[in-house]
Amino acid sequence: MANLHKIKQDMCEIGRRIYAKGFAAANDGNITVRVGENEILCTPTLHCKGFLKPEDICLIDMTGKQLAGIKKRSSEALLHLEIYRQRPDVKSVVHCHPPHACAFAIAREPIPQCILPEVEVFLGDVPITKYETPGGQAFADTIAPFVKKTNIILLANHGTVSYGNDVERAYWWTEILDAYCRMLLLSKQLGRVNFFTEDKERELLDLKQKWGWSDPRNTEEYKNCDICANDIFRESWKNTGVESKAFPAPPPMGPAAKVNGGGSGASDQEGLVQMITERVMAEFAKR
C-alpha cells in the first residue's frame, strides 16, 4: 500500500526545487504521481509550487475527474494522463517552464546531440511538439508521437514535460536538460561547440545500454540512423516548425562509418564515387 502522505511530501519537495530553480514562476507548472490503477495525485491549479503543503494535493482518476482534495486540480492534468495511458511504466510526471530549455522550445531549435556525456546517457534525442493551446485534449495529444521514445519532451512555445518511475526521477530529466541548454547558449556566445568523435559517442551508447538506459539509437529500428543528427525525431520537424539554425551540424556518424581503426567514412565515400563513375562510364560505352 502506497504511503500517500509521504508521496505528497515528496511532491511538495519537488515543487520547492522547481520554484527555487526558477523553473516555475508564480503558479506555473504541475506535478502528478500515479498511486493506483485509476488514481493520480495532482497539484492544484493557481497555486505556487514553491509553497505547497501535503493537504493541497488532490486526487483524480484517469479521466481527469477529481476524487478528493480541498483545492481544484491542475488545468493541465490531461497532458499527464495521456502520458500514463501510453506509458504504463511511468509513475510520475513533471511539467514546468525551465527558461533555457524553453528558449529552444520558443525558437523551435533542435537540441544538438553528441556534446555532453550526461545528456547522451540520460536523455538522448529530445523532441519538440507542435504548438497547441494548453489545457485540452488536443494539447495532450501533441506528445503522442514522442512519448514512447523519450522521457522528456519540449512543448513548443510552452515548456517541458518529463516523466519517470518516481517524482524525483521525473524531475531529474528537466534539470539535466535545462543545465545543458544553458551550457549550449553560453558556448554559443563563446563562438562554437565541439562534438564527440564517433568512437567516443558509440562508447557512451554502449555504456547506456550496459547500464539499462533505453535509447532508440540502440534498437534495431534505428540501426541505420546518423547517431548525432537528431534522426529519431527528424521526421516530425516539418509538422512542428522545427529547424536547425543556431548550431552547426555534427560530423556524420552513420552506420557505414567504422570505429576503432576499422576504416574511415572518407574511404567509404571514395568507393561509392568510384562505383557510380564505373556505372556511368559503362552506360556511355553502350551508346
Side-chain angles (χ1 to χ4, degrees):
M1 185 72 178
N3 185 332
L4 297 188
H5 184 72
K6 175 62 168 62
I7 295 172
K8 290 179 180 180
Q9 289 179 319
D10 292 342
M11 294 171 70
C12 294
E13 169 59 24
I14 295 303
R16 282 189 285 272
R17 293 194 213 174
I18 289 172
Y19 185 69
K21 293 286 287 186
F23 291 177
N27 62 299
D28 287 353
N30 31 77
I31 304 165
T32 60
V33 175
R34 189 169 190 171
V35 293
E37 185 176 346
N38 192 45
E39 294 85 29
I40 312 289
L41 290 174
C42 181
T43 52
T45 190
L46 297 175
H47 199 295
C48 179
K49 302 307 167 293
F51 301 93
L52 289 171
K53 300 183 289 294
E55 55 265 32
D56 297 326
I57 308 297
C58 59
L59 186 71
I60 64 175
D61 67 15
M62 285 293 290
T63 70
K65 179 183 176 181
Q66 186 157 337
L67 303 176
I70 59 175
K71 296 186 178 179
K72 186 179 178 182
R73 65 134 167 109
S74 168
S75 60
E76 294 180 345
L78 296 181
L79 174 70
H80 297 236
L81 299 178
E82 189 61 34
I83 292 171
Y84 291 127
R85 276 192 284 270
Q86 295 202 37
R87 288 282 301 271
D89 59 305
V90 166
K91 302 303 179 186
S92 181
V93 178
V94 172
H95 164 57
C96 55
H97 306 156
H100 304 94
C102 281
F104 283 78
I106 292 167
R108 302 192 193 180
E109 174 76 22
I111 295 174
Q113 295 183 272
C114 299
I115 294 174
L116 199 70
E118 291 78 6
V119 171
E120 293 306 299
V121 171
F122 292 125
L123 302 185
D125 198 1
V126 179
I128 303 177
T129 68
K130 67 178 182 180
Y131 177 76
E132 187 58 63
T133 303
Q137 188 58 44
F139 170 63
D141 290 341
T142 63
I143 56 91
F146 314 114
V147 66
K148 293 182 180 179
K149 294 178 180 176
T150 181
N151 289 322
I152 185 165
I153 297 171
L154 283 175
L155 306 168
N157 294 74
H158 189 156
T160 60
V161 63
S162 56
Y163 35 98
N165 58 8
D166 58 46
V167 67
E168 181 159 13
R169 187 68 57 86
Y171 165 72
W172 274 5
W173 312 142
T174 292
E175 187 166 316
I176 291 169
L177 180 63
D178 195 70
Y180 179 48
C181 290
R182 185 183 182 193
M183 294 175 200
L184 289 171
L185 295 172
L186 290 172
S187 62
K188 179 71 174 177
Q189 291 178 25
L190 291 174
R192 64 176 182 176
V193 298
N194 289 293
F195 296 93
F196 298 135
T197 58
E198 181 167 357
D199 59 330
K200 295 305 178 185
E201 174 60 22
R202 292 193 182 277
E203 284 179 9
L204 289 170
L205 288 175
D206 288 344
L207 281 174
K208 187 169 188 175
Q209 190 165 35
K210 179 181 178 181
W211 292 340
W213 300 102
S214 62
D215 191 302
R217 293 172 293 178
N218 281 332
T219 65
E220 186 69 17
E221 181 181 359
Y222 291 96
K223 67 178 181 180
N224 293 322
C225 78
D226 185 334
I227 57 175
C228 291
N230 299 101
D231 272 0
I232 308 305
F233 302 113
R234 182 179 289 274
E235 289 185 4
S236 70
W237 287 8
K238 184 177 180 180
N239 293 329
T240 56
V242 175
E243 184 179 359
S244 182
K245 292 183 177 180
F247 293 88
M253 298 187 192
K258 301 291 191 282
V259 295
N260 298 326
S264 70
S267 62
D268 290 334
Q269 292 176 9
E270 290 170 2
L272 180 60
V273 170
Q274 182 178 353
M275 179 186 70
I276 294 172
T277 302
E278 289 173 353
R279 289 184 180 179
V280 171
M281 294 305 294
E283 288 297 320
F284 276 123
K286 293 177 182 178
R287 298 180 180 180

